Amino acid sequence: MMKIAALENNILAIVAGTFAATIAAEDIEPQFHALTHFPDRRARSELADLAERLNQFGAHVVELWNKACEPIPEAEIEAFARRHVDLTRRYWAAEGRCMNWFITGPARFPVARNEKRMRISDARRADLKAHEAMARKSAKRKAVPHGTDDEPIRSGDPVAMQRIVTRIEETALSIDRMKAANAIIRRMEKDLATEEDMIAAVAANTGLSPEAAARSIKLAPWQSRRGFSTTNSRAELRRLQQRLAALARMKERGNQSQEVETSAGAVEIKENADIARIQLLFPGKPDGPTRRVLNANGFRWSPSQGAWQRHLNEAGRYAAQRVLKTISGASAA
């Protein structure tokens, strides 16, 4: 486990790549004097929380990149630690301007002013949570850009079609097993067999586990009929088959592009089949109204591609034409 921060003798030591920092509890203690009777305890607690956040992020990144069989991204961990420490200091500074009720009440401290400071402090604390969540999401996206096996299959995955074929085969096999189990259940019901005998027969003849077989045989209070329902599985099978056909058509169509004159200049509309995106490439940064039109039609800026893009499908093609028509119409007006 990667350890970025260690708290000893009320001093937090942080080392992440080329970034190093030490924070003593006594140095931040004055910021909590107006918030608690025990600012020393609060200071130690804040340092412990910071250490935990840093170490948990480091462990998360190491786990992700070990699964991806890639070298640990030291630079990414360093960037997170540097930024997170800075955001934490800003939060502490905002907290230091707030007063507890035992001061604002008896002292007639301006309550409205204190409430405003507390809102600022809450916003700084929210920044910490948002930064950690975004950093974790970014690390996962870089480690497994096409998602893990238990996540939905992404069209931009180079092996998306193979993965869909595998899912189709697994779903079809599952349906066959459930149909075979239902046939066994119906036959044994006629023979007035016990539930235990049914479970054993289904598990022995279908490859289903006894636990899975029991779920279809032991009736819940609201159930009136034993057996598996294949409705959802058959719907999922149809969906996968349709998606496979759509991806096949997209790959067969290949990459295409054309230029269209608009108020923003010559805009290239590109169908990038390699990553399953339809892209709009502008000669420069679009102005505010154009960006609003792009966002309203589902296009998002991709720094890595240098383009505004969305998923490549019929809806994406229609949205691209709508964007180009809108900004060309604005020019004509």
Side-chain angles (χ1 to χ4, degrees):
M1 175 180 175
M2 174 174 288
K3 196 168 186 179
I4 301 174
L7 180 60
E8 293 183 6
N9 299 323
N10 294 331
I11 298 177
L12 178 65
I14 304 168
V15 178
T18 61
F19 174 69
T22 57
I23 308 173
E26 63 180 6
D27 292 337
I28 65 171
E29 182 181 321
Q31 300 185 76
F32 308 112
H33 280 170
L35 289 169
T36 174
H37 287 296
F38 307 100
D40 54 334
R41 296 181 188 177
R42 175 68 185 273
R44 288 195 298 270
S45 174
E46 290 288 342
L47 291 182
D49 288 346
L50 174 56
E52 183 178 11
R53 292 195 300 272
L54 293 173
N55 289 329
Q56 285 183 348
F57 178 80
H60 174 72
V61 171
V62 168
E63 181 182 3
L64 277 176
W65 287 75
N66 281 340
K67 288 182 179 179
C69 299
E70 296 287 345
I72 305 302
E74 301 283 353
E76 184 147 354
I77 295 175
E78 176 185 339
F80 171 80
R82 191 184 299 273
R83 176 63 174 163
H84 203 71
V85 169
D86 180 55
L87 289 173
T88 302
R89 290 185 183 277
R90 294 186 186 185
Y91 162 61
W92 290 338
E95 275 282 89
R97 301 180 67 239
C98 300
M99 302 289 175
N100 200 309
W101 66 269
F102 65 78
I103 294 179
T104 60
R108 295 184 177 275
F109 187 90
V111 174
R113 183 189 306 173
N114 192 53
E115 289 177 345
K116 180 178 179 180
R117 292 176 178 179
M118 292 174 69
R119 286 194 295 270
I120 293 173
S121 177
D122 290 342
R124 296 292 177 266
R125 184 165 52 243
D127 289 342
L128 284 176
K129 293 183 179 180
H131 177 244
E132 185 175 8
M134 291 179 63
R136 283 174 176 262
K137 184 177 180 180
S138 175
K140 183 177 181 181
R141 186 168 56 246
K142 292 176 182 177
V144 281
H146 303 297
T148 55
D149 291 338
D150 59 344
E151 293 180 332
I153 299 171
R154 301 175 185 178
S155 299
D157 188 341
V159 294
M161 295 182 68
Q162 295 91 315
R163 292 181 63 189
I164 292 175
V165 168
T166 300
R167 291 268 182 97
I168 288 174
E169 293 173 349
E170 292 173 348
T171 305
L173 178 60
S174 176
I175 292 172
D176 289 341
R177 284 176 172 171
M178 288 189 287
K179 290 168 68 176
N182 288 342
I184 293 171
I185 293 169
R186 300 290 171 261
R187 184 175 65 252
M188 295 187 73
E189 279 181 326
K190 292 180 181 179
D191 297 336
L192 302 178
T194 64
E195 290 183 342
E196 287 69 23
D197 289 341
M198 290 183 190
I199 293 171
V202 168
N205 292 281
T206 64
L208 292 170
S209 68
E211 294 77 15
R215 286 196 294 271
S216 70
I217 294 172
K218 291 184 178 294
L219 293 176
W222 61 87
Q223 292 177 313
S224 60
R225 182 180 173 87
R226 292 187 177 92
F228 290 95
S229 172
T230 61
T231 302
N232 291 339
S233 296
R234 286 187 279 111
E236 175 66 5
L237 181 61
R238 288 193 297 271
R239 186 192 69 81
L240 288 169
Q241 290 170 336
Q242 291 168 358
R243 189 175 179 203
L244 180 63
L247 278 178
R249 289 193 298 270
M250 182 185 70
K251 296 293 184 183
E252 183 179 355
R253 184 181 174 97
N255 296 337
Q256 299 189 15
S257 78
Q258 66 178 100
E259 280 195 355
V260 177
E261 286 295 332
T262 70
S263 60
V267 177
E268 180 183 359
I269 176 171
K270 180 179 180 180
E271 294 187 10
N272 192 332
D274 295 331
I275 60 173
R277 295 292 185 271
I278 186 163
Q279 301 173 320
L280 296 177
L281 291 84
F282 289 79
K285 181 178 179 179
D287 58 19
T290 301
R291 293 198 301 274
R292 285 192 289 273
V293 171
L294 287 163
N295 284 315
N297 285 276
F299 284 88
R300 298 295 180 264
W301 172 248
S302 170
S304 61
Q305 293 290 320
W308 291 81
Q309 62 183 26
R310 60 173 287 171
H311 289 293
L312 176 54
N313 50 30
E314 289 304 320
R317 294 187 182 99
Y318 179 74
Q321 294 299 328
R322 188 166 56 227
V323 167
L324 296 174
K325 182 178 179 181
T326 301
I327 60 179
S328 297
S331 175

